[in-house]
Amino acid sequence: MTTARPVPALPDGVTVEELERLCVEVAVEASRFIRDERPPRMGVAATKSTETDVVTVMDRRSEELLHRLIQAARPDDGILGEEGADVTGTSGLTWVLDPIDGTVNYLYEIPAYAVSVAVVVGDAHSQGGWTPVAGAVADPCRRLVHHAGRGTGAWTSPEDPTESVAPERLSVSAEDRLARTLLATGFGYAPEVRARQAEVLRRVLPLVRDIRRIGSAALDLVRVAEGSVDAYAETGLNAWDLAAGWLVVEEAGGVVVGAGEEPGSAPGTALTVAAGPALVDQVRALFVAPVDAAG
Ligand code: IPD
């Protein structure tokens, strides 16, 4: 069963619309930056959790840029970023940033990566303790930005606001049968996590139309929102991978849930499932069944 999420209160004088506009502005600026300023022969700058969990110089520079722009516009807000930004604010709002989501694609020049920027209410460090109120996922390769504000719908706009192309409203697919579901998923960086994810897929793959591993959780969520996949499920995500995409899916009429038993449990590291209302519980059931039941 799924329920609509309550709209959290914003600080006095702050509107969802202005936060959404700022999300779009800064995400597009970082998106242009990682596309247009990519150094020639760019390599790996460092590794994080495992040898396959890479950081490029542009992940760091993109986060620095976002940090600067947000602090200039909203100096009292907190900031939490994948590459280490961790500022405690005083306004009750925190910006949750993935400066390049899909870093491995970026490294290999596979055109599926994004900049993800969200504003959340609550404690961004605690699983289930926060809710997104505005967000943008900027796609440098398609020169588009997908965005939403709580209660304002989900939209795709050209990255160049002077282009005379009207924003397109997003809406999730109406698919209600697993056998016809195109399911996006992804894998963590740790070998033991991947081994478990492979076991789950062994059970899931025969039951769905097919799976897609696109390589950017933010873009996977946008695809659910625009109906270009029917569902998405992944374990191991961090707040920055999912914060903006979560809101975009909900504002496109979809449902995003986690592993918890309670209705509408928050998505997060244990599990993130996104789909239309007729499908989401069926997909979730596949991913919460014990792994040793695979076969
Ligand atoms: C990763 C991507 C990938 C997902 C991983 C994420 P990153 O983010 O979103 O699709 O499968 O779980 O960590 O490391 O490229 O920012």
Side-chain angles (χ1 to χ4, degrees):
M1 195 181 77
T2 52
T3 55
R5 258 165 241 289
V7 181
L10 295 181
D12 281 351
V14 178
T15 66
V16 162
E17 287 78 4
E18 77 182 85
L19 294 175
E20 182 180 350
R21 259 195 311 276
L22 192 54
C23 285
V24 168
E25 204 179 295
V26 300
V28 164
E29 191 152 343
S31 173
R32 286 185 163 136
F33 172 71
I34 64 171
R35 180 187 63 226
D36 300 343
E37 305 296 326
R38 178 189 171 107
R41 295 178 301 282
M42 194 200 63
V44 172
T47 58
K48 295 190 284 189
S49 56
T50 67
E51 215 181 325
T52 51
D53 184 3
V54 296
V55 187
T56 71
V57 66
M58 295 304 273
D59 291 79
R60 290 173 175 163
R61 289 191 193 151
S62 173
E63 185 160 303
E64 282 158 20
L65 173 63
L66 290 166
H67 195 143
R68 228 179 18 254
L69 294 170
I70 292 163
Q71 283 217 307
R74 295 201 48 89
D76 298 334
D77 295 352
I79 302 180
L80 176 67
E82 177 174 22
E83 306 313 333
D86 195 357
V87 176
T88 307
T90 53
S91 66
L93 299 176
T94 301
W95 292 73
V96 178
L97 315 174
D98 195 334
I100 303 181
D101 183 58
T103 300
V104 174
N105 283 345
Y106 184 68
L107 182 67
Y108 282 81
E109 298 189 70
I110 294 168
Y113 47 86
V115 175
S116 175
V117 174
V119 184
V120 314
V121 173
D123 178 4
H125 290 94
S126 101
Q127 177 83 36
W130 54 274
T131 315
V133 290
V137 176
D139 181 338
C141 303
R142 293 169 74 201
R143 295 174 190 254
L144 294 174
V145 56
H146 315 280
H147 51 101
R150 181 79 57 197
T152 67
W155 303 86
T156 292
S157 303
E159 73 168 23
D160 179 354
T162 64
E163 251 181 56
S164 55
V165 178
E168 193 184 321
R169 188 157 195 164
L170 305 184
S171 153
V172 296
S173 101
E175 188 50 69
D176 62 357
R177 282 188 46 202
L178 273 182
R180 291 188 306 223
T181 291
L182 185 59
L183 173 70
T185 191
F187 310 118
Y189 292 112
E192 61 282 8
V193 172
R194 287 183 172 182
R196 267 201 313 279
Q197 289 170 324
E199 279 307 303
V200 173
L201 272 194
R202 201 156 70 89
R203 174 179 56 218
V204 170
L205 202 42
L207 302 176
V208 295
R209 185 189 294 279
D210 207 341
I211 65 136
R212 290 292 178 270
R213 198 296 191 241
I214 289 162
S216 158
L219 292 180
D220 288 324
L221 287 162
V222 163
R223 282 194 167 274
V224 173
E226 66 186 14
S228 60
V229 297
D230 300 301
Y232 165 68
E234 183 167 349
T235 55
L237 293 188
N238 291 297
W240 44 78
D241 299 308
L242 68 98
W246 170 6
L247 183 62
V248 173
V249 171
E250 288 190 338
E251 288 295 317
V255 181
V256 184
V257 292
E261 284 305 318
E262 71 283 9
S265 79
T269 309
L271 183 64
T272 297
V273 178
L279 197 58
V280 69
D281 290 344
Q282 298 175 64
V283 176
R284 184 182 172 281
L286 287 180
F287 280 78
V288 292
V291 165
D292 59 11

